[in-house]
Amino acid sequence: NAGVTQTPKFQVLKTGQSMTLQCAQDMNHEYMSWYRQDPGMGLRLIHYSVGAGITDQGEVPNGYNVSRSTTEDFPLRLLSAAPSQTSVYFCASSYLAGARETQYFGPGTRLLVL
Amino acid sequence: AQSVTQLGSHVSVSEGALVLLRCNYSSSVPPYLFWYVQYPNQGLQLLLKYTSAATLVKGINGFEAEFKKSETSFHLTKPSAHMSDAAEYFCAVSALTGTASKLTFGTGTRLQVTL
């Protein structure tokens, strides 16, 4: 098992550019989510999905889109990058969507928006 | 609504000393509580979790945490620190809201271990 994988590891964008952060898991997990990590703020939930075709907003969804066409993949799209989106992005997954489930995290994508 | 407060953004201990990282939570429903560790330039890894089975929870690498409902706390401890414990530690609370659970993280505590 590769677990949760994320690409790219690092990306530099200019303001206004769009891009897609990729996330995949090979554990047949139903629940997948995206977080952003900023200094002194912990991790904040952007979007999540409880299964293929089902997505919902988290705490900080503005400026981001997601879709879940397969169980394995959960890409995060930045529509028009802004400097405020400079952050480290983590994808996570868990077997089910229950509150006691352990979430498994990917290695992260470090994004710099100039 | 749920929230987590981690007291102390930086904690420094000597190798061999007790590690105590503090976490207090707020939750309107019975909570499930987690501690995650993040080593430099890596993702988060689960240390331990409380899911209402036992109030004293043992995790990996010699860490444990005790759930105290009366104090709304879930402090993380380790009797003897190792250099390899230097990392950032996150406390998180999870509760079922609607169709899915949401994990709410504290702001993290960076543990430094000195010789």
Side-chain angles (χ1 to χ4, degrees):
Chain A
N1 276 357
V4 180
T5 57
Q6 292 183 237
T7 55
K9 285 190 167 67
F10 181 72
Q11 183 72 46
V12 179
L13 288 180
K14 294 181 180 177
T15 297
Q17 287 184 315
S18 62
M19 79 161 293
T20 298
L21 281 64
Q22 301 292 344
C23 173
Q25 52 88 13
D26 62 358
M27 298 175 282
N28 201 30
H29 283 176
E30 289 292 327
Y31 183 84
M32 296 186 74
S33 54
W34 277 101
Y35 295 86
R36 59 178 288 172
Q37 182 180 28
D38 301 292
M41 301 189 76
L43 280 80
R44 293 178 293 167
L45 182 65
I46 304 172
H47 285 287
Y48 65 95
S49 168
V50 300
I54 306 169
T55 63
D56 206 347
Q57 296 181 352
E59 182 186 353
V60 288
N62 291 342
Y64 307 96
N65 267 2
V66 292
S67 60
R68 181 107 178 262
S69 55
T70 67
T71 299
E72 295 78 19
D73 300 297
F74 191 45
L76 178 72
R77 281 181 286 276
L78 278 69
L79 308 172
S80 177
S84 60
Q85 294 179 303
T86 293
S87 187
V88 182
Y89 291 85
F90 289 99
C91 179
S93 72
S94 62
Y95 184 58
L96 295 172
R100 66 173 62 205
E101 294 289 320
T102 297
Q103 292 199 31
Y104 296 86
F105 285 79
T109 293
R110 192 172 296 271
L111 177 67
L112 175 62
V113 182
L114 301 174
Chain B
Q2 54 198 38
S3 65
V4 170
T5 301
Q6 290 185 244
L7 293 175
S9 58
H10 289 84
V11 170
S12 182
V13 300
S14 301
E15 192 173 36
L18 171 73
V19 176
L20 170 61
L21 304 182
R22 298 178 186 275
C23 172
N24 289 88
Y25 71 90
S26 171
S27 177
S28 56
V29 297
Y32 299 108
L33 294 158
F34 301 75
W35 275 101
Y36 282 87
V37 60
Q38 184 180 33
Y39 298 102
N41 299 315
Q42 293 187 28
L44 278 70
Q45 177 185 358
L46 181 71
L47 270 180
L48 50 81
K49 66 178 181 180
Y50 166 75
T51 58
S52 73
T55 56
L56 182 62
V57 182
K58 294 187 186 298
I60 61 171
N61 301 339
F63 284 93
E64 63 181 38
E66 187 171 8
F67 173 71
K68 292 187 176 180
K69 185 178 178 180
S70 60
E71 299 177 9
T72 60
S73 68
F74 190 56
H75 302 330
L76 182 71
T77 60
K78 182 174 180 178
S80 176
H82 294 160
M83 296 296 290
S84 60
D85 294 327
E88 188 150 24
Y89 292 80
F90 291 94
C91 182
V93 61
S94 176
L96 194 63
T97 54
T99 59
S101 64
K102 293 181 184 173
L103 201 55
T104 300
F105 286 87
T107 53
T109 298
R110 187 168 299 278
L111 176 66
Q112 180 183 17
V113 182
T114 59
L115 287 172

